[in-house]
Amino acid sequence: MKNIEDRFKFAVLAMAAILFILTADVSAKDEWLQVKSKNFNLIGNAGDKDIRKVGTKLEQFRETFRQLFSGTNLNASIPTNVIVFKSDGAYKPFKPKRADGKIDTFIAGYFQPGEDVNYITLSTEGDDADTYGTIFHEYVHFIINTNFGKSEVPPWFNEGLAEYYQTFEISEDQKVKLGLPQSNHLALLQQNKLIPLDTLFKISNYALHQNENHSRSIFYAESWALIHYFVQNGKAEGLNSFLKYAIKDVPSEKAFQDAFQLSYAQMEKELKKYVAQNSYKYSLVSFKNKMVFENEMTTTPLPEAESSAYLGDLLYHTNRAEDAEPFLQKALALKPDSSMANTTYGMVKLRQKKYDEATGYFEKAISENQQNHLAYYNYAFLLSREGLDENGYVRSFPTDKSAKMRELLKKAIAVKPSFTESYELFAFVALVNNEELDEAVTYLQKALQFQPGNQRYALRTAEIYQRQNKIKEAMEIADKIAKTADDPQTKANAENIVSQIKQREEYNAQNEAARKKYEADVAEASKNGGRQVLARRSSVEKKLTPEEIAKREEESQIYSVNQSLRKARDKETRVIGRIQKVDCKGNAVTYTVKTDTETFTLASNGFEELALVALIPSVENTEVGCGANLAAINSVITYKPQTTGRNAGRGELVAMDFVPNNFRFMDTSQNYNHTGDIYESEQSSSSTNSENSGTGSGEELNGAIKNALRQPKTGEKREIGLIEKVECGARGMFFIIKSAAQTYKLAASSPQSIQMRGFTPEITKIQFGCNLKQVDIPVVFTYKNESDAKTKSDGELISLEFVPKNFVLEQ
């Protein structure tokens, strides 16, 4: 795939001194102009006539696409700057670099997409086909991806259309040639076997990137040939129809047949004949009215400070931040209050993690221009980066900082509502601090109106839905992205959400099965009449000894941890052990693992994709990194055994779940009533009346519950009260519990860290989670009596034991 990001994101080499000399030399001789057309901002040191010619050609290409794809909205939210150099020599210092850090001198023109601005660069020298081919190709991708979303459009369609349009030619301002034969594609197709259509149409964006060059070349050629065939055989309208079907998730084969009235088998026969012919026609489209844009263009001289700012901004956006510095320094030396130069220089310093310097540039940019949305946004982005740990994660933002970020982002949105990154960053801040989630979703929906199909925005929406317990909505989004994403990190993040939701569904299903079993037990007990106590064991009269109670609590905890473990996937192995050592060499990380029977090594490529889960509160803040000391922590270690390679040890480390020292694997496929030991059955018609409620079975039940309750340990307190709500945020989970004396805010690292039991059948009404509202069932709660000023909590919650409404706790 001719993805410009892949082709031009190269390593940065220091050329600051050389570029400074070049800048001084060029700016002393050249006059820079700015030409504004309807849809492009052009600047250059070429002549006014040459710059206008470039602007006209780009506008004509855009208008041709608009008219042939009626209904497509081309009013993109991302602006496009075009820099026109007077010669190839003037262009050379600004061409993209190869992987070895050297200038790619063979580039005649290119299109660099960006999240805030696109750049097109070219010189007035050279052949038009070489200069504009890549630009037209990538501009088609920009239009398709912005309007429909890269994940929504099949790769063969997206690439085939871009290949078809890249040979665009126009004469007399109204006669357009499209689909000129491409000899390299034809030679490939005539010398190689075609990819079966069923295979071609199933190739995802992600899979396309994994293919080798030869396979990708055939993919491009065959995709071009399909588009060429449809247009030349009067089926161009079918392209619009197919696109609509694809976006509506109509199965590929049905969408193809309905759009083109051809089966796969018929199309394969037609395509073989088509590529075997000796001559090819192209499409000639003559528009009724000439496409003339000269009258809409304006030209103004561009001061040296501004031209230097543009060149610095270009270099920054082509991943050459170090090379951008001398141009930005020159721009600020000539015009210290340049809002654009201050903003871009702040972005350079931000990338260099020089946050204090970046802050000064952003504040200067804002003070000089209150309409600079990029300055507001990047200032907020800087504040969001300051709290990240070495692995790129953040637990929470301080209240004052989150308020400052929201203020800056709302100003950026007010100035430029179409700049969608402001909406996404606002949602990120809301998600981290677990606040204003509804507003965040509204903002993301606005962003997706400007950029339909943007997978980052959609995935952020799924994360918020998951936090809001809107599981169905979250699953639909994440599952689709997991199947269609081309970016490995986006794909992995989506798959992680899908996995979490599936684990939650499994857990809920197990709880539901346990609840139904309990209800059946209660119903069966009621048939026998009389007052009785139901227990997990068959002998209801026998009282549990303290040792038996401790044993059952231990079993319940281990079972709960087993339920919460990350589920092993296909070809993954799990063992219980400890990480003795973490060694880093570049991006390669080696882990020494010790189990009860052996010691071996595992490897990973960095820490970014490593899944870490703390199922014991004592290690909640443990950091996993180079040289980390993890030998004291028991873990369930999940890895993929290696099949090839010499340096991966036994395999690739996938996940670590930190577990109690007494942990062992248990079979969670069998229901295990770990939520309670004793329940009072519904009374039969012969039971005692309310006047006798303090005697007989009531006293026996209270006595049994008191004996079974968990006893507080040193430093712990126990009270009885009602749960008012459960709050979840970046600082953790908090239970708000009201006793007769006061209201407590108690912290819990996760639901699994709390020992829960029930002594009343009413607990089946409770659905535990972050959105839990008031519970009218009395609960005996035990907590560590240690307040925390940082989280404003009264201590750490240890256990919740739900009891009947007439239960009295004697301290």
Side-chain angles (χ1 to χ4, degrees):
M1 180 186 205
K2 292 184 179 178
N3 187 313
I4 207 71
E5 290 179 291
D6 289 340
R7 294 174 61 192
F8 300 124
K9 283 187 176 179
F10 299 119
V12 175
L13 295 180
M15 291 181 62
I18 297 174
L19 287 174
F20 186 83
I21 294 171
L22 284 170
T23 310
D25 181 62
V26 168
S27 58
K29 300 177 181 178
D30 295 334
E31 178 186 359
W32 285 77
L33 301 174
Q34 182 173 36
V35 177
K36 287 186 175 281
S37 71
K38 185 176 181 180
N39 296 288
F40 300 93
N41 174 43
L42 301 98
I43 70 165
N45 57 4
D48 179 40
K49 182 178 179 181
D50 288 332
I51 297 175
R52 284 172 173 261
K53 182 180 176 182
V54 172
T56 295
K57 191 156 190 171
L58 292 173
E59 292 284 4
Q60 288 173 336
F61 178 82
R62 185 181 181 280
E63 180 63 16
T64 298
F65 194 93
R66 186 192 68 81
Q67 292 198 33
L68 294 180
F69 272 81
S70 57
T72 302
N73 176 22
L74 301 188
N75 294 322
S77 60
I78 300 173
T80 300
N81 291 334
V82 184
I83 300 187
V84 185
F85 295 95
K86 67 178 182 179
S87 66
D88 189 66
Y91 182 20
K92 185 177 178 180
F94 304 95
K95 290 184 179 183
K97 292 181 178 180
R98 303 193 303 258
D100 61 4
K102 295 181 179 179
I103 294 290
D104 192 341
T105 57
F106 294 100
I107 292 293
Y110 73 94
F111 180 100
Q112 174 67 52
E115 294 169 350
D116 55 348
V117 64
N118 302 322
Y119 269 100
I120 292 174
T121 59
L122 69 162
S123 79
T124 56
E125 295 180 345
D127 182 79
D128 275 7
D130 294 332
T131 300
Y132 287 97
T134 298
I135 293 171
F136 291 154
H137 180 107
E138 297 302 332
Y139 194 72
V140 169
H141 283 325
F142 171 65
I143 293 171
I144 294 295
N145 297 344
T146 300
N147 277 270
F148 307 106
K150 190 175 183 180
S151 61
E152 306 294 319
V153 181
W156 75 266
F157 185 95
N158 203 338
E159 294 300 340
L161 201 66
E163 288 289 316
Y164 183 82
Y165 269 86
Q166 79 174 34
T167 58
F168 168 91
E169 288 185 7
I170 186 169
S171 60
E172 301 176 22
D173 294 327
Q174 65 184 140
K175 295 179 180 179
V176 172
K177 294 178 182 178
L178 294 172
L180 291 168
Q182 297 195 45
S183 57
N184 56 331
H185 286 340
L186 293 172
L188 264 178
L189 295 173
Q190 291 170 357
Q191 296 169 14
N192 292 274
K193 187 176 180 180
L194 294 177
I195 301 172
L197 293 187
D198 185 54
T199 301
L200 184 81
F201 294 163
K202 288 180 180 177
I203 294 176
S204 65
N205 287 306
Y206 180 79
L208 184 58
H209 281 293
Q210 310 307 310
N211 288 338
E212 297 179 358
N213 290 336
H214 184 68
S215 299
R216 288 179 62 183
S217 297
I218 295 176
F219 177 90
Y220 277 100
E222 190 167 340
S223 299
W224 167 82
L226 277 167
I227 299 295
H228 203 282
Y229 171 88
F230 292 139
V231 175
Q232 293 305 127
N233 286 275
K235 297 182 180 293
E237 282 300 316
L239 295 174
N240 271 315
S241 299
F242 179 82
L243 193 55
K244 292 176 183 177
Y245 292 145
I247 293 169
K248 293 179 180 178
D249 288 329
V250 175
S252 183
E253 190 165 1
K254 177 174 173 51
F256 186 89
Q257 189 158 352
D258 290 350
F260 302 113
Q261 302 301 306
L262 287 168
S263 68
Y264 282 179
Q266 290 172 320
M267 186 67 247
E268 285 178 352
K269 290 180 181 178
E270 291 293 322
L271 192 60
K272 285 179 182 177
K273 291 190 294 184
Y274 193 69
V275 299
Q277 61 188 3
N278 294 321
S279 61
Y280 290 83
K281 297 180 180 179
Y282 57 82
S283 294
L284 180 60
V285 182
S286 294
F287 292 103
K288 182 178 180 180
N289 299 316
K290 288 190 174 185
M291 292 188 287
V292 179
F293 299 92
E294 280 281 328
N295 295 334
E296 300 175 353
M297 296 184 187
T298 58
T299 302
T300 56
L302 195 68
E304 186 178 356
E306 292 186 39
S307 64
S308 295
Y310 272 112
L311 292 173
D313 196 60
L314 165 68
L315 290 168
Y316 170 83
H317 281 86
T318 52
N319 225 21
R320 295 172 60 181
E322 305 297 332
D323 296 341
E325 284 199 75
F327 292 94
L328 297 170
Q329 289 167 353
K330 182 159 202 174
L332 291 173
L334 294 169
K335 188 179 180 183
D337 61 353
S338 168
S339 187
M340 178 183 180
N342 276 292
T343 300
T344 306
Y345 209 3
M347 291 156 67
V348 170
K349 294 301 179 183
L350 174 56
R351 183 172 293 185
Q352 296 170 344
K353 296 185 178 181
K354 297 177 180 179
Y355 296 140
D356 289 342
E357 293 183 52
T359 298
Y361 287 114
F362 291 142
E363 289 178 345
K364 179 72 171 175
I366 291 170
S367 68
E368 296 301 330
N369 181 8
Q370 282 75 43
Q371 299 301 304
N372 186 340
H373 66 284
L374 289 178
Y376 289 123
Y377 166 78
N378 281 288
Y379 194 176
F381 184 77
L382 179 152
L383 294 175
S384 75
R385 299 300 93 183
E386 287 180 334
L388 299 186
D389 61 22
E390 61 182 8
N391 295 316
Y393 294 100
V394 60
R395 289 186 58 82
S396 65
F397 294 119
T399 302
D400 57 340
K401 181 177 284 189
S402 63
K404 178 69 172 178
M405 285 188 282
R406 287 196 297 272
E407 176 191 355
L408 290 165
L409 292 169
K410 287 185 175 182
K411 287 181 179 179
I413 290 168
V415 172
K416 188 81 169 179
S418 62
F419 179 61
T420 53
E421 287 296 295
S422 296
Y423 301 119
E424 196 280 334
L425 185 54
F426 185 98
F428 173 72
V429 175
L431 185 65
V432 169
N433 276 22
N434 198 40
E435 56 190 9
E436 302 188 21
L437 296 181
D438 288 337
E439 186 175 10
V441 170
T442 300
Y443 274 154
L444 287 169
Q445 290 170 345
K446 288 182 180 179
L448 287 166
Q449 289 175 2
F450 287 109
Q451 292 192 40
N454 185 303
Q455 292 185 326
R456 285 192 302 111
Y457 302 166
L459 196 60
R460 186 72 74 203
T461 306
E463 290 176 323
I464 294 177
Y465 280 153
Q466 188 181 17
R467 180 73 59 82
Q468 293 177 314
N469 209 29
K470 297 178 180 178
I471 302 304
K472 181 181 177 182
E473 293 90 336
M475 185 65 165
E476 287 177 354
I477 295 171
D479 188 51
K480 184 170 185 177
I481 294 175
K483 293 174 180 176
T484 59
D486 60 335
D487 174 61
Q489 188 59 56
T490 301
K491 183 179 179 66
N493 291 343
E495 288 173 343
N496 186 47
I497 292 177
V498 171
S499 176
Q500 290 175 1
I501 292 174
K502 286 182 177 179
Q503 288 182 26
R504 177 173 178 171
E505 289 173 342
E506 290 173 7
Y507 180 78
N508 289 341
Q510 290 168 356
N511 282 348
E512 179 66 12
R515 183 185 68 80
K516 289 181 178 179
K517 183 178 184 302
Y518 163 74
E519 290 175 347
D521 289 342
V522 171
E524 180 65 27
S526 297
K527 293 178 184 178
N528 298 326
R531 300 173 299 278
Q532 58 184 301
V533 175
L534 294 177
R536 263 199 330 257
R537 50 194 166 83
S538 59
S539 176
V540 295
E541 287 82 11
K542 180 182 177 182
K543 291 185 177 181
L544 298 175
T545 66
E547 291 76 15
E548 288 173 322
I549 292 173
K551 179 66 175 175
R552 290 195 175 191
E553 288 180 350
E554 179 182 321
E555 291 284 304
S556 177
Q557 182 194 35
I558 294 174
Y559 183 86
S560 177
V561 173
N562 270 275
Q563 283 189 314
S564 304
L565 284 176
R566 176 189 179 277
K567 300 295 186 290
R569 300 175 185 173
D570 186 37
K571 298 181 181 179
E572 291 182 352
T573 298
R574 294 194 308 185
V575 297
I576 301 172
R578 299 173 186 241
I579 303 292
Q580 301 294 305
K581 189 166 54 172
V582 182
D583 292 323
C584 300
K585 188 174 182 180
N587 289 330
V589 185
T590 303
Y591 310 81
T592 303
V593 179
K594 184 177 182 180
T595 70
D596 289 339
T597 58
E598 60 180 331
T599 300
F600 58 90
T601 61
L602 298 171
S604 74
N605 186 17
F607 300 100
E608 289 78 7
E609 297 185 14
L610 190 61
L612 301 174
V613 178
L615 298 175
I616 46 177
S618 60
V619 299
E620 180 187 359
N621 296 316
T622 297
E623 295 184 0
V624 176
C626 302
N629 183 6
L630 306 174
I633 305 174
N634 203 34
S635 302
V636 172
I637 297 164
T638 305
Y639 65 94
K640 292 180 181 177
Q642 74 161 346
T643 55
T644 59
R646 298 180 180 179
N647 301 318
R650 181 168 291 185
E652 176 191 356
L653 181 64
V654 175
M656 282 191 288
D657 296 69
F658 299 131
V659 295
N661 291 334
N662 62 349
F663 177 81
R664 67 182 185 279
F665 288 122
M666 294 177 69
D667 181 8
T668 58
S669 63
Q670 301 297 319
N671 291 330
Y672 178 82
N673 188 5
H674 60 290
T675 58
D677 287 311
I678 304 173
Y679 302 93
E680 182 181 16
S681 71
E682 296 178 1
Q683 294 181 341
S684 68
S685 59
S686 62
S687 63
T688 57
N689 59 31
S690 58
E691 293 178 1
N692 298 320
S693 60
T695 62
S697 66
E699 288 183 356
E700 292 174 4
L701 177 62
N702 274 352
I705 293 175
K706 288 173 183 176
N707 288 332
L709 284 174
R710 179 188 182 280
Q711 298 302 308
K713 299 177 182 178
T714 304
E716 296 179 354
K717 289 188 68 176
R718 182 173 72 179
E719 293 193 43
I720 187 169
L722 296 174
I723 298 176
E724 292 197 332
K725 61 180 176 178
V726 177
E727 297 177 346
C728 295
R731 292 188 174 92
M733 173 181 280
F734 299 94
F735 284 73
I736 311 302
I737 307 177
K738 185 175 183 180
S739 72
Q742 69 176 87
T743 298
Y744 294 87
K745 179 181 179 182
L746 300 174
S749 58
S750 70
Q752 292 76 26
S753 69
I754 307 169
Q755 299 176 35
M756 292 191 192
R757 295 197 298 167
F759 300 94
T760 170
E762 289 188 279
I763 65 165
T764 59
K765 302 174 184 178
I766 305 173
Q767 296 293 324
F768 281 100
C770 292
N771 296 319
L772 183 68
K773 302 300 182 184
Q774 183 169 333
V775 179
D776 294 325
I777 305 171
V779 63
V780 175
F781 59 99
T782 303
Y783 63 97
K784 286 185 179 179
N785 190 21
E786 298 174 353
S787 61
D788 186 340
K790 186 176 180 180
T791 61
K792 297 181 180 179
S793 66
D794 298 303
E796 179 188 350
L797 185 61
I798 303 299
S799 67
L800 295 171
E801 297 171 289
F802 295 91
V803 295
K805 292 185 178 180
N806 62 352
F807 178 80
V808 177
L809 176 67
E810 296 177 358
Q811 300 292 343

